[in-house]
Amino acid sequence: MYWEDRLQKMYMAGLNAIQVYIPWNFHELSPGKYNFDGDADLVQFLNLAQKKGLLVVLRPGPYICAEWDLGGLPAWLLKNTSIALRSSDEAYLEAVDTWMGVLLPKIQPLLYQNGGPIITVQMWSSFQLDGAGTGFLKCGTLEGIYATVDFGPGTNVTKAFQAQRVYEPSGPLVNSEFYTGWLDHWGMKHQVTSITAITKTLDELLKIGANVNMYMFEGGTNFGFWNGANGGGDKFNPQPTSYDYNAPLSEAGDPTEKYYAIRDVISRVGKIFDWVVGYFSVRGNSSLTVKYSNYQQSYSTSLNDDVTAFKLAMILDHRLNMATVHSNVTTDNILRCAGYIIPYGPINTTYPITMEQMQQYSGFMLYQTAIPFNVTSPLFLSSTAIRDRAYIMINKVPQGILTRIDNHNMSINATTEGDILDIFVESQGHLNYGPNLADPKGIFGNVTLNGTVLTNWSIYSLDFDRVMPLLLKKRTKYPYINKQKVKDDAPFQVPSFYVGTLPDLAVINPPQDTFLRTTGWTKGQAYINGFNLGRYWPMKGPQVTLYVPASILHASPKINKLLLFELEGAPCSPEQLCTIEFIDRPIINGTVHQKDFIGGKWSNF
């Protein structure tokens, strides 16, 4: 298991404990439906940590931040539009109590006093974490709960712990988050933290007997739609798929120079401290099986071949006849049965409603209405209620892109009453931090056309994670469904599906980890064998590759199938085959394009 590999490497670096989050929304995807199997097998993970000789500091939430979608809170809470998250709101506390009633009995047998690995729990009822300053601690401490501080390399250690001593005159010195790296955002430079600065401060911390928790020690991957976002107000900065975090163990589990430097510091002064902890991300997959390797070996190997991909269909092809949800869908007729991509619907409303109100909590949603009048003058479409990125089409012809921050208006080309307006909306991840956590997705307010509020919407909830494995099942050849040509000056191509087959893996049986390079593609979502690898956006950067764990690849002679849902523009015409490359190294520090050409002007996001 990859969990076992990463834990072993953490132990061999000299750590004696790990800290791990429990994301509530990962275990309760919808109200009352719990998952603790496979990737979500918390008990198995904690037992494995103990088997590897590691103690556990547990952060069960209910809120965890962690650059994770909605900070670990389930987005279905937002169906209640008046709920106040992380407060004494009765609706919120009732949901928390129910969840804790399920979670805590699983944790109790694993507490240290019960023979388990959990030495402490960091949450609203245990020790707390604040910045290394009295200003943070003044409003953050609670009576009876031990206060700790966090700070990164280069900080004045003595001064930082003086702040802790104001509120905790005795007891252990604890840096609860010593930053070995930092998080990335789309469109911003990849964050890198100096190895020298880290080792210098770490050495100082350990020599004075402080307890240190390195954040992150193993970062992992925001597979699927699990990435969060920072911002609120006039800012919105979603995090990319990679959560490498410039951590000592890379996204693929490879020890870095930083890993060895930290190990050397611990080996010199390690016997002085009480405990040294590393944050572990459970963003991986518990079923990932590999031939066990020691901590000096890299897994990644190239597939040494390009993959060719056919254009399968446009999203608006799948919209046709969606009003009928067929119960007799088979693999052979799935491409003809557009209703299969939605769990129900369409839902008809007077005004747009959000994804959460549609009981969808990530991904994409399609809003459709008809132009209500004949056009006698240029049309001006406007909405400040987009969350987070919307592709505007009239009669299937691309018009432009609206975004939640700085592109709320555009001119559109329609001529006749009854022309069809499609707004295809992408959620780029719920906010995970700050006072604006209640961050509904889709369209949460009005859309106007020349000042007239548009009404009579049909809304389609698109269940990608459910349909993708079935879309690829047992099919080895894919016809072109639509060869509609796109004008050279079009602001984007209609969001479309592209499918391909990976080369025979017999030469590297069993398959090894690799990286999907998305250079030339624009923006979208990638799946292999139905597994949602995550988002790609090489035109924005800094991440260019997607990490592909070996466990999702089939050994020869079984076929491996790739599906890209490209939102804006493939590197080939509909008549051509596209190419996708797999390489043996990550590119997460690629060229950053700070601006995109959207709707006829340069615009951020």
Side-chain angles (χ1 to χ4, degrees):
M1 293 191 304
Y2 280 15
W3 283 353
E4 183 172 4
D5 173 81
R6 307 306 194 258
L7 290 169
Q8 181 71 31
K9 289 172 180 172
M10 295 174 83
Y11 179 82
M12 296 179 77
L15 305 187
N16 56 12
I18 62 164
Q19 179 151 339
V20 63
Y21 292 114
I22 301 178
W24 175 7
N25 53 9
F26 191 62
H27 295 281
E28 191 177 3
L29 293 172
S30 58
K33 296 182 179 180
Y34 302 101
N35 178 25
F36 289 94
D37 298 322
D39 302 356
D41 194 337
L42 173 65
V43 172
Q44 180 195 11
F45 172 78
L46 295 175
N47 284 330
L48 186 58
Q50 185 174 31
K51 175 184 174 183
K52 290 298 174 182
L54 292 164
L55 299 170
V56 173
V57 177
L58 200 64
R59 292 188 71 169
Y63 166 78
I64 62 172
C65 186
E67 290 72 56
W68 187 263
D69 187 75
L70 200 55
L73 300 177
W76 47 259
L77 291 170
L78 299 179
K79 186 178 180 182
N80 179 349
T81 57
S82 63
I83 197 168
L85 302 177
R86 303 191 66 200
S87 76
S88 58
D89 179 271
E90 289 186 6
Y92 174 69
L93 292 181
E94 182 180 356
V96 169
D97 288 346
T98 301
W99 161 239
M100 288 297 168
V102 173
L103 176 64
L104 296 182
K106 296 180 181 295
I107 294 174
Q108 185 176 12
L110 297 167
L111 298 178
Y112 189 77
Q113 63 264 36
N114 296 328
I118 302 172
I119 55 174
T120 189
V121 175
Q122 185 175 359
M123 56 188 295
W124 44 268
S125 61
S126 185
F127 82 85
Q128 62 189 38
L129 165 66
D130 288 287
T134 54
F136 294 102
L137 291 157
K138 181 179 179 180
C139 297
T141 56
L142 295 173
E143 185 178 353
I145 299 178
Y146 194 79
T148 68
V149 292
D150 72 276
F151 53 88
T155 300
N156 184 317
V157 172
T158 301
K159 186 177 179 180
F161 282 134
Q162 282 175 351
Q164 184 189 1
R165 281 290 179 242
V166 171
Y167 290 88
E168 299 295 349
S170 61
L173 298 173
V174 182
N175 183 344
S176 292
E177 288 187 358
F178 176 62
Y179 299 106
T180 61
W182 199 244
L183 61 111
D184 286 338
H185 295 104
W186 288 116
M188 298 183 184
K189 188 176 180 179
H190 175 58
Q191 299 292 309
V192 176
T193 304
S194 162
I195 296 175
T196 301
I198 290 170
T199 54
K200 182 177 182 297
T201 306
L202 179 63
D203 183 84
E204 186 177 352
L205 286 165
L206 297 183
K207 282 181 177 177
I208 66 171
N211 300 274
V212 183
N213 184 7
M214 285 174 273
Y215 187 96
M216 296 286 298
F217 199 90
E218 191 275 341
T221 309
N222 296 313
F223 289 122
F225 300 112
W226 286 116
N227 69 279
N230 286 316
D234 61 351
K235 295 182 179 179
F236 178 69
N237 297 311
Q239 286 109 22
T241 297
S242 174
Y243 198 67
D244 181 272
Y245 220 97
N246 195 227
L249 285 175
S250 76
E251 181 178 11
D254 296 327
T256 64
E257 290 184 24
K258 187 178 293 183
Y259 173 93
Y260 294 113
I262 288 172
R263 185 192 63 174
D264 290 344
V265 172
I266 294 174
S267 68
R268 290 197 305 270
V269 295
K271 293 185 179 180
I272 300 175
F273 60 84
D274 289 329
W275 44 275
V276 175
V277 187
Y279 264 84
F280 183 97
S281 170
V282 201
R283 299 161 194 262
N285 185 318
S286 66
S287 63
L288 301 180
T289 56
V290 295
K291 183 178 179 181
Y292 180 73
S293 61
N294 65 33
Y295 62 88
Q296 295 178 332
Q297 183 174 345
S298 170
Y299 304 118
S300 300
T301 181
S302 175
L303 295 180
N304 296 319
D305 245 324
D306 288 343
V307 175
T308 56
F310 295 87
K311 183 175 182 180
L312 175 64
M314 299 191 305
I315 189 63
L316 296 187
D317 297 327
H318 284 268
R319 179 178 57 75
L320 300 175
N321 300 319
M322 276 187 173
T324 302
V325 179
H326 298 274
S327 60
N328 62 341
V329 176
T330 66
T331 301
D332 290 335
N333 69 18
I334 190 171
L335 299 179
R336 298 190 298 273
C337 181
Y340 199 75
I341 204 169
I342 60 171
Y344 52 80
I347 299 298
N348 298 312
T349 65
T350 302
Y351 303 102
I353 61 175
T354 66
M355 285 188 178
E356 292 78 14
Q357 290 171 310
M358 290 280 290
Q359 301 182 54
Q360 179 179 326
Y361 310 117
S362 61
F364 310 93
M365 185 163 284
L366 182 63
Y367 296 78
Q368 180 204 77
T369 189
I371 302 299
F373 42 74
N374 288 319
V375 177
T376 57
S377 62
L379 289 175
F380 194 64
L381 187 73
S382 178
S383 179
T384 60
I386 299 297
R387 293 293 184 271
D388 299 300
R389 191 173 179 88
Y391 299 88
I392 311 302
M393 292 160 278
I394 295 288
N395 298 334
K396 300 186 182 183
V397 177
Q399 304 293 309
I401 301 173
L402 297 181
T403 63
R404 70 179 285 167
I405 297 300
D406 59 0
N407 197 48
H408 302 148
N409 312 292
M410 70 170 59
S411 297
I412 63 173
N413 295 314
T415 58
T416 307
E417 179 181 355
D419 282 354
I420 300 300
L421 168 65
D422 283 306
I423 303 181
F424 186 71
V425 182
E426 176 198 17
S427 164
Q428 295 181 290
H430 291 87
L431 293 171
N432 57 258
Y433 176 78
N436 301 299
L437 278 181
D439 181 36
K441 299 300 182 177
I443 304 178
F444 68 91
N446 287 331
V447 178
T448 63
L449 193 61
N450 284 9
T452 298
V453 173
L454 295 177
T455 58
N456 300 321
W457 293 88
S458 295
I459 307 174
Y460 301 92
S461 177
L462 307 176
D463 194 347
F464 274 42
D465 281 352
R466 172 176 169 266
V467 77
M468 294 310 166
L470 298 169
L471 185 62
L472 297 175
K473 188 177 181 182
K474 296 182 180 179
R475 297 188 66 93
T476 57
K477 295 182 179 179
Y478 300 92
Y480 296 120
I481 298 302
N482 190 298
K483 295 186 178 181
Q484 177 180 344
K485 293 185 177 181
V486 180
K487 294 181 180 179
D488 292 338
D489 61 349
F492 61 90
Q493 297 177 16
V494 175
S496 301
F497 300 98
Y498 294 80
V499 294
T501 301
L502 277 65
D504 193 328
L505 302 185
V507 293
I508 52 171
N509 254 345
Q512 300 294 302
D513 294 1
T514 188
F515 295 89
L516 187 157
R517 183 172 185 170
T518 61
T519 303
W521 298 79
T522 307
K523 187 182 194 311
Q525 205 78 18
Y527 292 78
I528 289 184
N529 296 331
F531 180 84
N532 191 338
L533 288 177
R535 309 173 195 267
Y536 63 88
W537 200 358
M539 293 295 292
K540 179 66 70 171
Q543 181 176 0
V544 175
T545 57
L546 287 172
Y547 173 50
V548 182
S551 69
I552 67 171
L553 298 175
H554 302 315
S556 180
K558 197 171 181 181
I559 293 172
N560 291 277
K561 300 170 185 176
L562 168 72
L563 186 146
L564 298 183
F565 180 59
E566 171 58 50
L567 289 164
E568 299 184 18
C572 53
S573 70
E575 293 81 12
Q576 296 174 321
L577 294 178
C578 298
T579 59
I580 302 100
E581 184 183 8
F582 289 84
I583 60 177
D584 61 358
R585 64 196 180 281
I587 304 174
I588 54 175
N589 60 347
T591 301
V592 174
H593 296 253
Q594 292 288 353
K595 295 177 180 291
D596 286 333
F597 192 71
I598 298 175
K601 69 172 186 176
W602 289 102
S603 173
N604 287 325
F605 286 90

